[in-house]
Amino acid sequence: MINSITHLLEKRMFHLGLLLVILSFFTNSRHQTGINKTLGWIWDSSNWIYWFSYFNWMVLLGYGFLAVIRYKTNKYFSGTHLLLILFSFLIYELFHFHVDWIISINVLMIIVFMINFIISVLAKRKY
C-alpha cells in the first residue's frame, strides 16, 4: 500500500493533478463570479480569485513536463502539494469569502510546486 502511494506521488503527479483539476471544475461551478452589472465598472471581490485556477493549469503543465522527460518528483513535496490542493478546495467550498485563507493556501501551493519542480529537475532521477 505504501509503495503504491509512493509510486503515485513520484511518478504519477500529472495524473493526480489532472484528476484534481477536473474535480475543481465540478466543485467550483456553484459560485457566481463575474462583473457587477449594477454599476458597470466595479468587479465582484471574488472574481479575481478565479485567476488562481489558471495556476492549477500551469502546475499541471509543469507536472506534465516532468512526466514527459520521465523525472521522479519528491514524494514529500508531492504529498504536501496534493494535501494543499484538497485543503484549498475545502476552504473554497466552506469559506468562500475568506479571501486571506484562499490567497495564503494558493501562494503556499505555488511555492511547494516550484520547490518540487526544481528539486526534480536538479536531481534528474528517471523512472
Side-chain angles (χ1 to χ4, degrees):
M1 170 95 174
I2 292 177
N3 287 334
S4 64
I5 293 172
T6 302
H7 173 77
L8 284 174
L9 291 177
E10 288 182 344
K11 299 178 182 178
R12 301 290 182 230
M13 276 303 291
F14 174 73
H15 296 101
L16 293 173
L18 184 64
L19 180 70
L20 288 175
V21 167
I22 291 171
L23 179 69
S24 75
F25 283 133
F26 293 114
T27 59
N28 292 340
S29 62
R30 295 186 324 203
H31 301 293
Q32 294 180 358
T33 57
I35 299 174
N36 185 346
K37 303 279 184 185
T38 307
L39 298 175
W41 57 270
I42 193 164
W43 287 75
D44 182 18
S45 64
S46 64
N47 190 25
W48 63 275
I49 295 173
Y50 179 74
W51 290 96
F52 277 116
S53 66
Y54 290 113
F55 288 118
N56 291 336
W57 285 104
M58 290 190 310
V59 166
L60 186 63
L61 289 175
Y63 283 129
F65 173 74
L66 291 176
V68 167
I69 60 175
R70 302 181 64 83
Y71 281 175
K72 288 183 181 180
T73 58
N74 186 308
K75 64 182 173 184
Y76 300 112
F77 283 111
S78 297
T80 303
H81 190 224
L82 282 178
L83 288 176
L84 284 171
I85 290 172
L86 292 174
F87 191 62
S88 74
F89 288 155
L90 182 68
I91 283 181
Y92 190 72
E93 286 298 313
L94 296 178
F95 308 110
H96 181 62
F97 293 108
H98 289 276
V99 176
D100 297 336
W101 291 7
I102 295 170
I103 292 171
S104 60
I105 292 294
N106 281 306
V107 167
L108 191 60
M109 279 190 327
I110 293 167
I111 291 170
V112 167
F113 165 72
M114 304 261 300
I115 292 170
N116 194 7
F117 186 84
I118 291 169
I119 287 174
S120 299
V121 170
L122 292 178
K124 296 181 183 177
R125 296 183 312 149
K126 296 226 178 203
Y127 61 87

